[in-house]
Amino acid sequence: NGQTISLTAKNAKRVTVRLSDSLVNLDDELTVKLNGRVKFTGTVTRLKSELSRSLEERVDNTSAASAKITVGSDKQVWINGNKVDEVFLDAGEYRTVLFEDDSNRVLASTRFQVIPKRPKLTGVRNPDGSLTLTFEGSLEYGPTVAGPWQQLGWSSPRTVSITSKQRFFRSKN
């Protein structure tokens, strides 16, 4: 449906969808749902290798896929064979140095910083006064904006009734 792919799968741990521009616009963000739950929202890169693999398996250029996405019952998502959000370096500051051959002569050096992706959190006030929270990662709440924070075992989205207590929510990876 437009840029949303809704899948229903029983007794399957993983489902792979082969993507092409005839199915969705790969230049735009797409959403993949499995059994009613959003598993992925973002863009997917076209690869010649995926196109070749698709044509090897099925010699039909009208159904050739230039990308693929695999989702399952867990949180892992694979795009074109690579795990999404796989962390190579932890958050922090780094310095890389390229040396000449076996010497200690520096050819190039650079510093860079790895900043973790912040999870999204949105809240929508409902007509009955309740609040629907949609979030990535886990949800925490606290009595003040500075905490102390306590983790909630909720899945997204979650509707909460508003009480007289003031609460602050945050999502955390």
Side-chain angles (χ1 to χ4, degrees):
N1 184 10
Q3 288 294 105
T4 301
I5 299 170
S6 298
L7 307 168
T8 303
K10 296 179 181 178
N11 302 322
K13 290 186 179 182
R14 298 212 155 290
V15 178
T16 298
V17 178
R18 296 166 193 255
L19 303 170
S20 70
D21 284 294
S22 61
L23 179 64
V24 291
N25 183 348
L26 292 175
D27 291 325
D28 292 340
E29 196 171 85
L30 64 98
T31 299
V32 177
K33 295 180 180 179
L34 177 63
N35 297 329
R37 292 184 165 230
V38 174
K39 292 294 182 171
F40 174 79
T41 299
T43 57
V44 178
T45 304
R46 296 173 195 83
L47 293 180
K48 289 179 186 177
S49 58
E50 286 301 324
L51 186 60
S52 295
R53 192 172 294 120
S54 178
L55 288 170
E56 283 175 6
E57 293 175 7
R58 188 177 193 172
V59 187
D60 178 7
N61 63 347
T62 62
S63 68
S66 57
K68 71 179 177 184
I69 185 166
T70 302
V71 295
S73 56
D74 56 10
K75 292 184 178 184
Q76 293 181 357
V77 175
W78 297 78
I79 296 177
N80 295 327
N82 295 317
K83 188 175 173 186
V84 174
D85 291 335
E86 190 167 39
V87 177
F88 176 68
L89 294 173
D90 290 328
E93 293 186 21
Y94 295 87
R95 178 176 179 234
T96 60
V97 180
L98 176 64
F99 294 99
E100 179 182 14
D101 295 329
D102 289 332
S103 72
N104 60 357
R105 182 171 173 231
V106 175
L107 293 177
S109 173
T110 187
R111 293 182 182 277
F112 64 95
Q113 185 177 20
V114 175
I115 301 170
K117 178 185 161 195
R118 290 183 147 178
K120 293 179 185 176
L121 170 64
T122 58
V124 176
R125 173 91 51 200
N126 300 315
D128 65 356
S130 64
L131 182 66
T132 299
L133 299 171
T134 305
F135 56 92
E136 296 175 344
S138 61
L139 190 67
E140 296 180 338
Y141 79 95
T144 69
V145 76
W149 296 100
Q150 295 181 11
Q151 189 163 354
L152 298 165
W154 295 350
S155 59
S156 179
R158 180 69 175 225
T159 300
V160 295
S161 61
I162 303 302
T163 65
S164 59
K165 290 182 179 179
Q166 186 174 9
R167 287 190 179 171
F168 293 87
F169 293 94
R170 74 178 183 183
S171 58
K172 187 176 179 184
N173 284 331

